[in-house]
Amino acid sequence: MPNTLDTAWAIAWLRLSATVVAENRMALIELDRAIGDGDHGENLDRGFTAILEKLDAEPPATPGAAFKLAAMTLMSKVGGAAGPLYGTAYLRAATAVGEAAELDAATLVAALAAARDGVVARGKAETGDKTMIDAWTPAVDAATAAAESGAEPAAVLAAAATAAEAGAAATEPLIARKGRASYLGERAIGHRDPGAQSSALILRAAAQAAGA
Ligand code: ADP
Ligand code: MG
C-alpha cells in the first residue's frame, strides 16, 4: 500500500461515493422518512450525480481541488440540512490539504478532522445528538489513533470507516437533539440517523478507493 494518496484517489473516492449513494438512495430515503422528511437519499443522489458531471467536465488537478469541486457542487445542488453541512465538510477538507499533490496519513487525518470541525461549526451538533457527527467524530478519533500508530493512508481510512459504521448504528437508540428528527422526541428512538448512515457510506467509499 502506498504511503500517500493522490488526485486519482480523490476522484475515485468521489466517483465511488456517487455509486454508493445511488445504490443506497432508497435506503437513505427510508431512514429519513422514519425520522425526517424523506429527502436525504434523493438530495445526496442529486448532488453526487452533479459531482460526476463536473468531474468529467473539469477534472481537478489536486486532491484539494477535487474536494473543492465537491463542496461547491453539494452547496449549490443539495438543499436541506445535509447539503450545506457536507459542503462545509468538503470545503474545510480542501483548505486543510491546500495545494498538496499527495496526502500522507497525517494530512489525511487533518482533512478528516477539519471536515468534522466544519460540520460542528455549521450545525452546532454535539456527540450523541443523533446526527452525522455521531459517525464523523468516532471516525476522526479512529483515524487519529491509526495514523499515530503508523498506519498507512488506506488503513487510516479503513479505521475511520469502521468507526463511522459503528457510530451510525449507535444512533439508533438515541433521541435527536438537532435537525428535523429533534421534533419527534422519543419517537426517534429505534431509527438510525440518515446523515450518520450516509457519512459512514461515504467514508467506506474513501477507504475502498484507497484499496483498503
Ligand atoms: P433535511 O433535514 O433538511 O431534510 P437531509 O434530510 O438531507 O436534510 O439531512 C438530514 C441529516 O442532516 C440528518 O440525518 C443529520 O445527520 C444531519 N443534520 C441535521 N441537522 C444537523 C446539525 N445541526 N448538525 C449536524 N448534522 C445535522
Ligand atoms: Mg430530510
Side-chain angles (χ1 to χ4, degrees):
M1 286 289 169
N3 251 324
T4 59
L5 296 173
D6 58 9
T7 309
W9 162 77
I11 292 172
W13 176 22
L14 293 175
R15 290 193 179 282
L16 195 54
S17 298
T19 302
V20 167
V21 165
E23 283 169 359
N24 286 273
R25 182 175 175 279
M26 269 319 296
L28 293 171
I29 285 173
E30 296 294 342
L31 290 179
D32 197 32
R33 247 183 218 151
I35 59 169
D37 58 356
D39 63 355
H40 189 61
E42 200 180 317
N43 284 344
L44 277 189
D45 190 29
R46 185 172 57 251
F48 276 96
T49 300
I51 287 173
L52 290 181
E53 286 163 12
K54 282 216 189 155
L55 286 173
D56 289 335
E58 318 156 25
T62 59
F67 299 160
K68 191 161 181 202
L69 176 155
M72 295 309 173
T73 311
L74 293 174
M75 283 190 195
S76 67
K77 299 277 179 195
V78 183
L85 291 169
Y86 272 120
T88 303
Y90 279 109
L91 199 57
R92 295 285 187 101
T95 303
V97 303
E99 303 285 307
E102 306 210 344
L103 313 181
D104 61 13
T107 309
L108 202 53
V109 168
L112 291 172
R116 187 273 314 274
D117 292 348
V119 176
V120 170
R122 180 130 200 165
K124 307 278 184 290
E126 292 174 14
T127 299
D129 283 354
K130 197 177 180 109
T131 72
M132 60 173 73
I133 286 304
D134 292 346
W136 275 95
T137 290
V140 170
D141 292 347
T144 304
E148 279 171 0
S149 71
E152 288 179 344
V156 167
L157 291 172
T162 300
E165 285 157 6
T171 63
E172 287 175 15
L174 301 177
I175 291 177
R177 286 191 290 259
K178 284 283 184 298
R180 286 181 199 280
S182 64
Y183 308 143
L184 293 181
E186 296 197 344
R187 279 184 291 147
I189 292 174
H191 300 284
R192 186 176 299 208
D193 178 65
Q197 180 66 9
S198 61
S199 297
L201 293 171
I202 288 167
L203 287 167
R204 180 58 69 191
Q208 284 173 345

